[in-house]
Amino acid sequence: MKYYPAIICKNGHVLSCTNSYQHQFCKTCGAEAVSRCESCGYIIEGYLLDSSILTSYYKKPYYCPKCGAPYPWTIKLIDNAVEIASLDTPLDEQSLAVIKNAIPYLITESIDTPVQAAKFANTINDLSDLARAAIKSLLFDYACNAAKSIIWG
């Protein structure tokens, strides 16, 4: 299958799914626009090139399908959640590692999602109300439904 290159800024704003965005930076946040994996150079897949029907829905990918590397917005999402947790009551390194390691399973549904979501929920219960609310605000739109139901009910 062949795809149009998608163009997405490093903060995760989808700029084009058909390679039609001609600017180097995002019009929403000013971040650099990318259309290829920074690890292997493979295109960020947009709409199917051969499809006669373009839908208005596009699900932004989190990982490169060729090399498995996380895209910049995925890295930023993980780093921001860990930073929020580390600003709160001092968490030990093991708790921060649980948060960091769980997020990839929260944003992409897999057989490990329920276990990682339970570990994540258990760990963030030790955070203040403010930190839990900030993490929910950061992750809620990105988390898969299975993770959401385990973590936030």
Side-chain angles (χ1 to χ4, degrees):
M1 297 174 99
K2 294 189 178 201
Y3 294 87
Y4 285 103
I7 301 170
I8 302 174
C9 85
K10 288 189 173 186
N11 284 328
H13 297 114
V14 176
L15 306 173
S16 173
C17 306
T18 59
N19 199 28
S20 61
Y21 191 79
Q22 300 302 316
H23 304 288
Q24 293 182 341
F25 298 95
C26 180
K27 63 184 175 187
T28 302
C29 69
E32 183 182 355
V34 295
S35 61
R36 296 190 170 274
C37 173
E38 293 181 331
S39 294
C40 73
Y42 185 70
I43 66 162
I44 298 171
E45 294 178 349
Y47 287 134
L48 275 172
L49 190 58
D50 300 334
S51 178
S52 59
I53 300 172
L54 289 180
T55 64
S56 61
Y57 178 75
Y58 171 74
K59 185 167 174 22
K60 169 180 57 193
Y62 295 107
Y63 297 92
C64 176
K66 184 173 181 187
C67 73
Y71 288 122
W73 50 90
T74 307
I75 295 167
K76 189 171 272 199
L77 182 68
I78 294 167
D79 290 348
N80 286 345
V82 171
E83 185 174 353
I84 290 169
S86 66
L87 291 173
D88 198 49
T89 343
L91 288 178
D92 58 43
E93 290 299 316
Q94 183 179 357
S95 296
L96 290 174
V98 166
I99 291 170
K100 184 174 185 169
N101 295 333
I103 293 172
Y105 297 98
L106 306 182
I107 61 175
T108 57
E109 202 156 330
S110 78
I111 195 149
D112 295 317
T113 298
V115 171
Q116 294 299 323
K119 287 180 180 180
F120 182 86
N122 191 45
T123 302
I124 66 169
N125 279 337
D126 295 336
L127 298 176
S128 68
D129 291 344
L130 177 64
R132 281 196 315 275
I135 286 176
K136 181 178 182 179
S137 175
L138 175 70
L139 294 177
F140 195 80
D141 287 340
Y142 301 100
C144 65
N145 289 333
K148 285 180 190 179
S149 67
I150 291 167
I151 298 166
W152 296 294

